Every structure is written in C-alpha cells, then in structure tokens.
Amino acid sequence: MAQQLRFDDETEDLVGLIEQTKPDEIIAETYTRLSKGESKERLLAAAALAVSRSTVLPASHHGGPVHPVSGIYSVEALSKRNVGEKGFFPVIQSVALANKHIHSPSMGPNILVQFDIAEFREMDDESLLAGFQAALEQRMSTLAEKYLVLLLRRVPAGTIMDSLLKIAIPRNALDDHYFLYTVFAFRALEIIGWQYAEAILRPPVRFLCRHPKLEHAGGERGKIIEDGISLYKRFGDFEELIVSTGLDVAEIKVQTSEDETVAVDTLASDVESISNIANIAETVVAQIVAGLSMMGVLEGLSLGGARRYLRSKTGNPFDVHLHTGINARRYLLSLEGLSQKTRLLTLLSWGQGYEIRHLDNTLDWDLTGLSPLGEPPEGGNEQEALASIANQLKCQPHFDLNTLDGSIAELRAPESVLHITKMAAQYLECGHDPEALFKFLAFDVCRDDQSEMHAYKMQQAAYEEYTHSRKGFRHVHLLAAVKHAATVARLGPRSVYPEACSFLGGFVS
C-alpha cells in the first residue's frame, strides 16, 4: 500500500497546517505562528513542501507547485529586506498561495508517495545517471523520480542539474517554465535545506516528463507550443555551433572584469535593438569567441534585456522572464558540476523562450522626452520624490484578471505606467538614493496576490541584477523594477494583503 512522503515531526506539523487549514483561515493561522516566534524560513519551507506534496500541475504551467516553489528564493529575500513585521507579509503571501492551490479542485489534493528504491541500490552512479537520463528522455516519470531519489544520496546537486538541463534547455523554446521551474526549485532548496530535495525536485522531474504538444493541443497554449516547435527542432544547431567554433574545448573565462565594459555594452546594444530576440545566439557566440567571459556575456544580456523591457509596452504582469531568465542563468554559472557545454547552452538559449520572444512586437516605448505625471519640483527632496511615485502607483487604473476578455499576453499598459517609469528616471537624475527606492518597492510588492509570485520574482531578480552590474549600467534594472511595479499595481481585487493588515496594524491597505 502506497504511503505519503512524510517529514520530521516539527516540519510535518507546519506542512499539515498549510495542507489542512481552510483558505479563509490560513492568513490568521500564519500570522499567529509568526507572532509567536515561528521562523519565517520554516514557514516558507512548509509552504514549498505542502504545495509540492499535495498538488498536481494542471494542463498548464499555472497551478500546482510551479510558481509557489519558484517564488521561494525571492520571498525569502524580500522577507529579509523588509524590516520587522513588514517581513511577515511576503511569507503570508507565500503560505496563502500554497494553501490556495492545495484547495483548488483542479490542483489538489494530491499525494506524493514514498518510494521503495531497494531495486536500484546495487547500481553504480554511472548506471544510475544513464537510467535517469533515459527515463527523462522517454518521459517515464515514475521511473525518473525513483532514480532521482537515489541520485540525491549519491551525486552532487550540479550533476543532477546537468542531467535535467539536457531536457529543460531545449524545451525552453516551448515554455520557459520547463527551464525556470527546474532552476528555481534548486534555488528554493538552497533556502529551505537540501534534506527536502526529494519532495521539491520530484514535481519538476514529473513536469519535464510531460508531453507539451499532446497536453496543449489546440487553444492559445497549443499555438504557443506550435510557434516554438521550429526552434525546438533546431536546438541541435546550438550544439553544432559550439563545436564548430571550438568553444566546447576552449578555455573560457567565467568571471568578468572592468576591461570588458565596452564589449558588455556592445552586446547589450545588440540585444536591445535586434528585431528577433531568438536570433541573438550567434551574436553571443561571436562575443565569446572574441574573448568575452561568460559572466560578461550574462551582464550584456541582462543589460540589453532590461533596456528591451523598458521599451516594451506590455501590460502583462507575468512578463518578467527577461529578468528572471537571466537571474536563473546567473545562478547556474556559479553552480559546481555543470559542464562547459551546458553553461554555454544556457546562455545561447535565453532568447528562445516564448515569454521573451513575444515581446518583440511590443517595443514601442521611449523614456526620453516625456514629462512625468506628478513631477516633483526641481531640487525636491528624496522623500517627496518617493511619495510622488507611491501616489502614482496607487492611482493606476485597476483591472481584474478574472474578468479579462482575451489573452493576457495581449495586454498593453496605459501611458501612466510609462510616466511612472520616467518619474523613477528623474529620481535617479536628481541624485536620490537608489536603495531607498528599492526598499520602497520591496514592501510595495507585498500587496500583490494576483501575479502567482511573478511580481516577487521580478523585484528580487531586478535587485540582484542591479547589484551584480557595473555602476554605469545598473540603473536600468531599477527602472525595470518600477515599471513592473506600476504594471502590477493595476491588478485587483486583492484579498491577502488587506486581511494581513488587519492583524499587522499601521500599514495602508
């Protein structure tokens, strides 16, 4: 008889709380635990474990554990960046989202069973890895999960990631989440602890074993898959390009340096201006052949991607992959155990993702030459400038995703979003503190309960890209964070934040 996967007693108590509490009681229960001294990290771990153990992913990437788990690293960071009880808000949002999915009829309840893996214990590591790879390629989910369980006890995390990426990177052209969920699940484990790797990583393995085309036949999602198939089928061209240029065996610098500044800016300009972002791979290869380091390439893609996002008039709050896709690759370039070929493929594949490609037709905005709404007087102080930005965010015209007519991918932002972004540019031009604006955004994002953690991931990814960029380039990431905050400010109605405010007094709902 199959048994549910279980955890240590203390963790099981918290996981059970999230699984069994009614949705209309979960915010109060989470606040009670936090106010009595329960650690934010343990509650985040419980949220990730509960949604992984007790939900199933519907025929879409929206649902189940994908976004709750992918958001763990950003929620944890935001819980630290917000001081005192403000740090409770992102944790409450994370727990509430996990609970919501568990109680959704299309996602839960589900049972992640405990495996008996005795039959595989005599296999050596090489045979285990070969079996794991074959099971992934043949979409044999249960078998792949069983191999994973034993591999987690025998080989380094980077070795397992290298195997998963052989499936996830090519599928990036069909749906970015095959790649992103895999990577962010590993990042979640760095927060909650690798002792929980089985529970967190088995659902991504299951996701990678699903058949995209059969699952999404017809409809908008089916069309997206169809659009990416030609890129998916040509993925071998990337591998051939790596070999033909000798990059598979070349000594390639990983870390960047100041003498790469011009090359980074040149690559960024190419990324910003190219008409079809999926074609950026050849430019990337040319830069690496010319001597640009991997981190230098990443910074060029990051900078160009942020500039591209600022040019986009998208009003879709889920359009964050220009930033989160880069941020995921930054993590991978620092992960031990990945082959050089895999690292190169992660860089070449960035522009292939649908949620990056579809922005090609939205690049109509220009930050220059606009007079921002609510413009602070010349020489106005920092607090006045921040208050002006906050006021304009509050005044954004709202819409309800639940009543959306048509595809969310076709949403276009009103010019008020562009004006707020220009206000942020002026804020920087006046010499005000970027960290103060980032601090404001770190709490402002805690109001969101509509974007399936995309707003949280965007804010943290933009902050991390800002901190890893050269001083002369980094401001675009702050502007991108403000622009996305303005897009998310339009979402409603909100329920989690106002209720949390009723327990945590002194905050504006």
Side-chain angles (χ1 to χ4, degrees):
M1 188 72 178
Q3 299 293 320
Q4 185 181 48
L5 184 68
R6 295 183 65 82
F7 312 107
D8 59 271
D9 290 345
E10 288 187 8
T11 301
E12 190 65 42
D13 173 63
L14 287 177
V15 171
L17 172 83
I18 295 170
E19 291 172 333
Q20 297 161 22
T21 302
K22 295 178 181 179
D24 61 357
E25 298 173 356
I26 192 64
I27 296 171
E29 288 288 348
T30 306
Y31 169 74
T32 298
R33 294 279 180 143
L34 287 166
S35 64
K36 289 183 177 179
E38 185 64 73
S39 78
K40 294 180 288 185
E41 291 78 13
R42 282 180 50 76
L43 278 165
L44 286 176
L49 294 170
V51 79
S52 296
R53 182 172 79 172
S54 294
T55 66
V56 65
L57 181 67
S60 167
H61 61 246
H62 284 290
V66 174
H67 293 303
V69 169
S70 296
I72 289 295
Y73 86 94
S74 58
V75 169
E76 190 267 348
L78 287 161
S79 75
K80 289 180 176 177
R81 288 170 58 193
N82 283 296
V83 178
E85 289 192 333
K86 282 188 173 183
F88 288 3
F89 281 90
V91 178
I92 290 171
Q93 290 280 11
S94 181
V95 170
L97 180 62
N99 175 269
K100 175 184 175 181
H101 283 206
I102 291 166
H103 286 84
S104 168
S106 63
M107 307 174 207
N110 183 50
I111 294 178
L112 193 66
V113 300
Q114 180 79 49
F115 280 143
D116 178 5
I117 54 172
E119 60 190 294
F120 301 114
R121 287 191 178 127
E122 299 304 316
M123 296 176 66
D124 59 41
D125 294 355
E126 187 175 339
S127 298
L128 278 173
L129 283 166
F132 182 51
Q133 197 67 55
L136 288 169
E137 291 170 358
Q138 296 167 28
R139 294 190 293 278
M140 301 171 70
S141 172
T142 301
L143 183 59
E145 289 178 62
K146 289 180 178 179
Y147 279 126
L148 172 72
V149 172
L150 194 51
L151 284 169
L152 285 167
R153 305 173 189 177
R154 302 255 291 261
V155 303
T159 303
I160 295 173
M161 175 67 87
D162 206 63
S163 291
L164 294 173
L165 290 178
K166 287 181 173 64
I167 306 297
I169 296 175
R171 283 201 182 186
N172 186 63
L174 305 176
D175 183 335
D176 315 44
H177 296 82
Y178 288 115
F179 174 81
L180 292 174
Y181 179 28
T182 301
V183 177
F184 289 142
F186 273 64
R187 287 199 73 174
L189 287 168
E190 306 231 334
I191 302 299
I192 71 173
W194 278 92
Q195 67 269 32
Y196 303 121
E198 177 182 348
I200 298 299
L201 295 184
R202 279 174 57 187
V205 166
R206 193 176 304 156
F207 187 35
L208 291 174
C209 287
R210 290 162 74 153
H211 194 301
K213 191 172 181 181
L214 291 179
E215 194 165 87
H216 297 295
E220 179 189 7
R221 206 73 213 160
K223 184 179 183 303
I224 290 170
I225 297 294
E226 288 288 345
D227 288 345
I229 282 177
S230 61
L231 293 172
Y232 176 77
K233 289 181 175 178
R234 296 203 310 267
F235 187 77
D237 294 349
F238 285 172
E239 297 175 309
E240 292 176 10
L241 187 59
I242 289 171
V243 173
S244 66
T245 54
L247 292 180
D248 56 328
V249 294
E251 289 190 18
I252 303 173
K253 292 185 299 182
V254 175
Q255 300 304 323
T256 187
S257 58
E258 287 301 318
D259 60 8
E260 292 187 337
T261 298
V262 172
V264 167
D265 194 23
T266 298
L267 176 56
S269 296
D270 290 338
V271 171
E272 179 188 6
S273 62
I274 195 169
S275 59
N276 184 346
I277 193 64
N279 294 333
I280 199 63
E282 290 189 1
T283 302
V284 169
V285 167
Q287 286 285 1
I288 297 173
V289 169
L292 188 58
S293 67
M294 289 191 189
M295 284 296 188
V297 166
L298 190 76
E299 187 175 350
L301 295 176
S302 180
L303 174 60
R307 292 173 179 171
R308 200 172 181 86
Y309 178 69
L310 290 175
R311 289 179 56 202
S312 172
K313 62 181 180 182
T314 178
N316 181 358
F318 298 89
D319 281 337
V320 303
H321 290 200
L322 283 165
H323 264 84
T324 58
I326 286 294
N327 201 236
R329 286 162 172 83
R330 185 176 297 282
Y331 168 78
L332 288 176
L333 289 185
S334 301
L335 185 65
E336 293 184 8
L338 294 192
S339 67
Q340 178 157 296
K341 178 183 174 184
T342 298
R343 286 191 168 95
L344 290 169
L345 288 173
T346 64
L347 294 173
L348 299 188
S349 64
W350 171 71
Q352 302 277 295
Y354 165 74
E355 298 198 32
I356 292 177
R357 284 186 283 115
H358 95 98
L359 292 182
D360 287 351
N361 300 317
T362 68
L363 307 180
D364 296 335
W365 277 1
D366 183 354
L367 282 179
T368 62
L370 281 178
S371 299
L373 296 173
E375 180 178 357
E378 186 174 348
N381 67 43
E382 185 176 288
Q383 290 305 312
E384 290 173 344
L386 283 172
S388 184
I389 291 171
N391 183 61
Q392 289 303 318
L393 285 172
K394 192 181 301 182
C395 294
Q396 285 295 293
H398 288 184
F399 71 89
D400 186 346
L401 284 177
N402 297 317
T403 61
L404 181 66
D405 183 20
S407 168
I408 193 171
E410 302 305 317
L411 278 175
R412 297 295 178 258
E415 283 219 343
S416 57
V417 170
L418 183 58
H419 282 296
I420 291 176
T421 312
K422 179 62 179 176
M423 290 172 69
Q426 186 189 45
Y427 174 94
L428 293 174
E429 289 165 6
C430 289
H432 298 321
D433 182 14
E435 289 290 341
L437 184 48
F438 266 125
K439 183 178 180 181
F440 162 76
L441 294 171
F443 183 66
D444 185 74
V445 72
C446 296
R447 303 169 189 270
D448 171 66
D449 55 26
Q450 297 284 312
S451 76
E452 288 273 317
M453 293 286 139
H454 283 71
Y456 297 79
K457 288 183 288 183
M458 175 63 180
Q459 287 301 324
Q460 187 57 28
Y463 184 70
E464 290 181 14
E465 290 308 301
Y466 176 91
T467 58
H468 284 97
S469 297
R470 285 155 230 267
K471 288 185 178 180
F473 295 156
R474 58 176 49 171
H475 69 281
V476 295
H477 298 297
L478 177 52
L479 298 184
V482 171
K483 182 195 170 200
H484 190 258
T487 302
V488 172
R490 302 182 63 229
L491 294 178
R494 293 163 176 168
S495 58
V496 177
Y497 179 78
E499 185 178 345
C501 284
S502 70
F503 299 107
L504 292 152
F507 302 102
V508 179
S509 61

